[in-house]
Amino acid sequence: MEEKLVLRLESAVARLEALSTGFTARSLPEIGDVAPLDPSILAFDDLLGQYLARVSAAAEKIGGQVLDVTKILQEAFTVLRELLVKVKQTQKPDLAGLAEFLKPLNEVISQANKLTEGRRSDFFNHLKAAVDSLSALAWIAYTGKECGMSMPTAHVEESWQMAEFYNNKILVEYKSKDPNHVEWAKALKELYFPGLRDYVKSNYPLGPVWSSTGKAVTAAPRPSAPAPPPPPPVSLFTSESSQASSSTAYKQGMSAVFQEINSGKPVTSGLRKVTDDMKTKNRADRTGVVGSGEKETRTSSPSFSKAGPPKLELQMGRKWVVENQIGKKNLVIDDCDAKQSVYIFGCKDSVLQVQGKVNNITVDKCTKMGVVFKDVVAAFEIVNCNGVEVQCQGSAPTISVDNTAGCQLYLSKDSLGVSITTAKSSEINVLVPGSEPDGDWGEHSLPQQFVHIFKDGHFETTPVSHSGG
């Protein structure tokens, strides 16, 4: 009796904390409900009160679109809590039933995705970081090794890696501009690391535990199919005559053409005669000049892309090829090994994540391309690119940048010993982590101008240093 009373009091305290942080009434469980008495649900309420409340408080100070996406983030975690409560009252569903069960969560994530569509705003990195992080909540869909997903804890970690790409850009951009944005980005990361990751690891390491005696989840019945269209009208020609004519023409083929030529009849006897008024040069409504409007219409709508079809495939078991990907933010290569290489060519406005160690990675002729990778054995190469951002989460012995304008390199602590080579490139910035775990990133620009002085029989080359004066 005393234990239940203590749990009820803890639930009441969690509700009061949620009220103080601005959560909606939808996220607050009833005091008399049995769900808050479950330790896993109580732990989730602690997660909301400790981590999500911090993100919400920072968003309130920023306002605008950051506050809007944070509210959707709150709603998504609220829906996840409701699903965790239902899991304990529901039998394990089949694939169709699972889709119906997860429908409320999918609707919230779809609502969040709409915020990143259209014209980019000044807070695009905030929106992408929050929206991409929501994929971590899909750990609840794990039903076993056969489902094709990573284990729940690993899924949370992998999902956050994509969001961290944009989260780090917020930390760099607002490091010396606005501490509220820095606080929001740090709080967002801690919501997942260690927040959600440790929660899933402690309570659901093997996925949700469904009830054996609860109610079953069934997929919503599909609407009845419309009646089939009426049969086509009868042809004006009978089927026999049409079949006969087609078969006769097929059998005759080119032999009929030669018979007609060899018959002795004039070859042009069946052709229409072109009179003078039908000739283009004599027609007032036709000119030899092609209008600009007509020319633009013809060239603006090609039947296929000149760059070629998009590719993301493993060739000959040795080389991953990623080509002509346009506007794809969720490209992933997860089944790779240290003997394989990755070649990225002709991509634009896309993000690729390489999950695993590979021999080398080459980025060639790409624009506004982001690459997140763990480890490379040989080198990471950037050639003929414009506006590339690369994040190394593990180690890389060599990074080379050639004939590239605009390149941001994010290094991990394990890759600080990397050798970076640049040639014919400009605007190369390298960002390194701070000395403390929560410290700010340090940004260093690599020189692109050099002074060459002939001295003592040889040239001495030094980078140009710019002073504030």
Side-chain angles (χ1 to χ4, degrees):
M1 183 65 182
E2 293 181 358
E3 182 180 358
K4 290 185 177 181
L5 181 59
V6 171
L7 292 176
R8 291 168 64 88
L9 289 175
E10 290 179 351
S11 175
V13 171
R15 294 179 74 248
L16 292 175
E17 290 177 349
L19 284 172
S20 64
T21 56
F23 290 130
T24 60
R26 179 182 179 184
S27 64
L28 303 179
E30 294 295 334
I31 295 295
D33 192 0
V34 295
L37 299 181
D38 188 281
S40 64
I41 303 301
L42 286 173
F44 194 82
D45 290 338
D46 292 340
L47 172 69
L48 300 181
Q50 181 179 357
Y51 295 103
L52 188 56
R54 182 183 167 192
V55 182
S56 177
E60 291 284 351
K61 297 178 181 178
I62 300 173
Q65 291 182 318
V66 179
L67 180 59
D68 294 339
V69 75
T70 303
K71 289 181 178 179
I72 297 180
L73 187 75
Q74 291 179 351
E75 185 178 358
F77 272 83
T78 300
V79 172
L80 178 61
R81 184 194 184 281
E82 294 176 354
L83 295 180
L84 291 174
V85 174
K86 292 181 180 179
V87 162
K88 301 181 180 301
Q89 306 167 356
T90 308
Q91 296 181 17
K92 184 177 180 180
D94 56 10
L95 188 60
L98 182 62
E100 183 68 20
F101 181 82
L102 298 175
K103 186 176 180 181
L105 183 60
N106 290 332
E107 291 176 350
V108 178
I109 295 178
S110 299
Q111 181 184 356
N113 286 327
K114 292 180 180 179
L115 295 179
T116 61
E117 297 175 354
R119 185 176 181 181
R120 285 197 176 190
S121 68
D122 296 335
F123 304 106
F124 177 78
N125 292 331
H126 299 73
L127 300 179
K128 285 294 294 181
V131 172
D132 288 358
S133 70
L134 291 179
S135 61
L137 306 188
W139 68 265
I140 194 175
Y142 183 83
T143 56
K145 295 182 180 180
E146 68 280 357
C147 71
M149 289 179 57
S150 300
M151 296 286 285
T153 305
H155 175 80
V156 174
E157 295 175 350
E158 294 168 359
S159 299
W160 170 250
Q161 289 176 358
M162 186 65 69
E164 190 174 25
F165 181 80
Y166 297 96
N167 206 58
N168 287 340
K169 297 174 71 173
I170 300 173
L171 294 174
V172 173
E173 180 181 359
Y174 291 93
K175 178 178 62 175
S176 57
K177 291 170 57 177
D178 192 336
N180 292 326
H181 292 266
V182 176
E183 168 65 15
W184 184 88
K186 290 183 177 180
L188 182 65
K189 179 176 181 178
E190 292 184 7
L191 174 62
Y192 295 93
F193 277 78
L196 184 62
R197 180 198 61 184
D198 290 354
Y199 170 79
V200 174
K201 185 176 182 180
S202 300
N203 297 275
Y204 300 98
L206 302 178
V209 181
W210 302 87
S211 173
S212 58
T213 59
K215 60 182 180 180
V217 179
T218 57
R222 296 183 178 181
S224 57
V234 180
S235 175
L236 297 177
F237 303 96
T238 62
S239 59
E240 296 178 357
S241 61
S242 62
Q243 291 178 359
S245 61
S246 61
S247 61
T248 302
Y250 178 79
K251 289 179 180 179
Q252 290 178 348
M254 291 300 296
S255 61
V257 178
F258 288 109
Q259 289 179 5
E260 184 71 19
I261 294 175
N262 297 328
S263 63
K265 298 180 181 179
V267 178
T268 60
S269 60
L271 301 180
R272 295 177 58 191
K273 182 174 180 59
V274 179
T275 59
D276 291 338
D277 60 333
M278 297 171 62
K279 297 180 180 180
T280 302
K281 65 179 182 178
N282 297 327
R283 294 184 59 175
D285 59 340
R286 297 287 183 92
T287 62
V289 180
V290 179
S292 60
E294 181 181 358
K295 185 177 181 180
E296 291 176 359
T297 303
R298 292 180 180 178
T299 58
S300 61
S301 58
S303 58
F304 59 90
S305 173
K306 294 182 179 180
K311 293 182 181 179
L312 201 167
E313 60 187 18
L314 179 62
Q315 297 181 350
M316 305 296 292
R318 299 290 300 273
K319 181 178 180 181
W320 284 95
V321 175
V322 185
E323 293 184 356
N324 306 319
Q325 299 288 345
I326 309 297
K328 299 295 181 64
K329 305 291 186 179
N330 55 351
L331 302 173
V332 178
I333 297 177
D334 53 1
D335 186 13
C336 52
D337 58 53
K339 296 181 180 179
Q340 297 173 346
S341 62
V342 179
Y343 180 68
I344 309 166
F345 176 81
C347 298
K348 182 178 180 181
D349 196 23
S350 300
V351 178
L352 171 67
Q353 183 177 358
V354 182
Q355 300 176 351
K357 178 183 290 187
V358 294
N359 185 48
N360 70 288
I361 301 176
T362 302
V363 185
D364 186 7
K365 292 184 180 180
C366 294
T367 303
K368 295 182 179 180
M369 183 68 188
V371 181
V372 182
F373 72 97
K374 289 187 177 181
D375 302 286
V376 293
V377 178
F380 189 103
E381 301 173 294
I382 305 171
V383 187
N384 304 323
C385 293
N386 188 1
V388 178
E389 297 192 16
V390 178
Q391 180 177 357
C392 176
Q393 297 176 334
S395 62
T398 303
I399 296 178
S400 63
V401 185
D402 187 11
N403 195 25
T404 295
C407 179
Q408 295 265 24
L409 300 176
Y410 295 85
L411 302 181
S412 65
K413 291 185 177 180
D414 296 333
S415 61
L416 295 181
V418 64
S419 173
I420 302 177
T421 304
T422 62
K424 296 188 295 183
S425 301
S426 60
E427 303 175 38
I428 310 299
N429 295 321
V430 182
L431 296 98
V432 298
S435 57
E436 300 179 359
D438 295 333
D440 296 331
W441 285 68
E443 185 173 4
H444 305 271
S445 60
L446 301 185
Q448 63 189 60
Q449 290 180 309
F450 300 89
V451 176
H452 311 277
I453 300 176
F454 188 77
K455 185 178 180 181
D456 297 333
H458 65 278
F459 277 96
E460 293 183 356
T461 302
T462 57
V464 175
S465 60
H466 300 276
S467 62

